[in-house]
Amino acid sequence: MSSQAARLVVLVSGSGTNLQALLDASADEAYGARVVAVGADRHDIEGLARAERAGVPSFVEKLPDHESRDAWDRAIAARIAEYRPDLVVCAGFMKILGQPTLAAFPVLNTHPALLPSFPGAHGVRDALAYGVRITGCTVILADAGVDSGPIVAQEAVPVLDGDDEETLHERIKTVERNLLVETVGRMAREGWTVTGRTVCLGRPSG
């Protein structure tokens, strides 16, 4: 493993609790990664305040500030590229990234369900409505679809009697945060390979 930490650009749209977990983890040199920039699609969010408190550069690219979605896709890809990331992490980022970013960088995303079940914006609500007894969270390598990229890691979370969307989602978020931090660290330290839809952490031997 290279002694140089992997460079992370983290994208946020809200409170940035996953970002904070990555900032905390990267304070340990042994983690193998550090957050070099935080990007957002809106101003005045706690995620940007977290970046400022940590002394991490940040940028904002608002979709309405651009003449088209394609123009925004190109603009945010260019802003990300300024920081030469080894990995881009969507940490509660509420926009689907376009081909300019996906073609240039590996992009990691999380989802509060066990994909491929219950993709989309209401994964927790949909799992509850279906009546599953086990749900969880997934870390994926993002592609052009909605929650359709190759799965990197998953962890199960039981659905308890009396759960509503809020209580279940809070338990999932705790597990998701830990899983994201663990997965990013392993990818930074060990590398990864993708064969078809199968992601293997660690570099091939030999």
Side-chain angles (χ1 to χ4, degrees):
M1 186 189 77
S2 170
S3 60
Q4 187 169 354
R7 298 171 63 86
L8 308 178
V9 170
V10 182
L11 303 180
V12 296
S13 292
S15 63
T17 53
N18 282 349
L19 164 63
Q20 188 64 56
L22 289 167
L23 289 168
D24 293 345
S26 62
D28 182 352
E29 289 186 6
Y31 183 61
R34 64 188 178 97
V35 180
V36 296
V38 173
D41 61 340
R42 64 198 68 186
H43 293 281
D44 301 322
I45 58 173
E46 178 61 18
L48 292 173
R50 292 179 190 274
E52 183 177 5
R53 289 194 294 269
V56 173
S58 65
F59 61 88
V60 176
E61 285 293 340
K62 294 172 61 179
L63 182 56
D65 290 344
H66 298 275
E67 62 185 14
S68 67
R69 182 61 182 252
D70 286 345
W72 179 83
D73 286 337
R74 293 191 298 272
I76 197 164
R79 296 299 294 273
I80 292 168
E82 293 175 13
Y83 297 95
R84 308 185 315 280
D86 299 298
L87 187 64
V88 177
V89 182
C90 294
F93 189 61
M94 302 307 292
K95 294 285 189 298
I96 296 174
L97 292 168
Q99 199 59 30
T101 298
L102 297 175
F105 314 104
V107 178
L108 211 60
N109 198 6
T110 63
H111 182 69
L114 294 175
L115 294 171
S117 297
F118 313 116
H122 304 294
V124 179
R125 182 190 310 173
D126 293 344
L128 271 175
Y130 201 83
V132 299
R133 303 308 299 173
I134 298 289
T135 184
C137 53
T138 305
V139 179
I140 63 171
L141 283 168
D143 62 11
V146 177
D147 301 322
S148 58
I151 292 169
V152 183
Q154 291 182 302
E155 190 164 340
V157 175
V159 180
L160 304 180
D161 291 340
D163 260 339
D164 58 21
E165 184 177 358
E166 181 179 359
T167 59
L168 179 57
H169 202 176
E170 283 304 313
R171 292 206 318 284
I172 291 173
K173 284 179 181 177
T174 300
V175 174
E176 179 183 69
R177 197 172 301 127
N178 293 335
L179 184 64
L180 177 63
V181 169
E182 177 187 354
T183 302
V184 168
R186 286 196 62 192
M187 292 174 77
R189 295 188 303 271
E190 302 171 23
W192 72 93
T193 57
V194 183
T195 306
R197 289 194 55 84
T198 301
V199 180
C200 292
L201 299 183
R203 296 179 177 86
S205 58

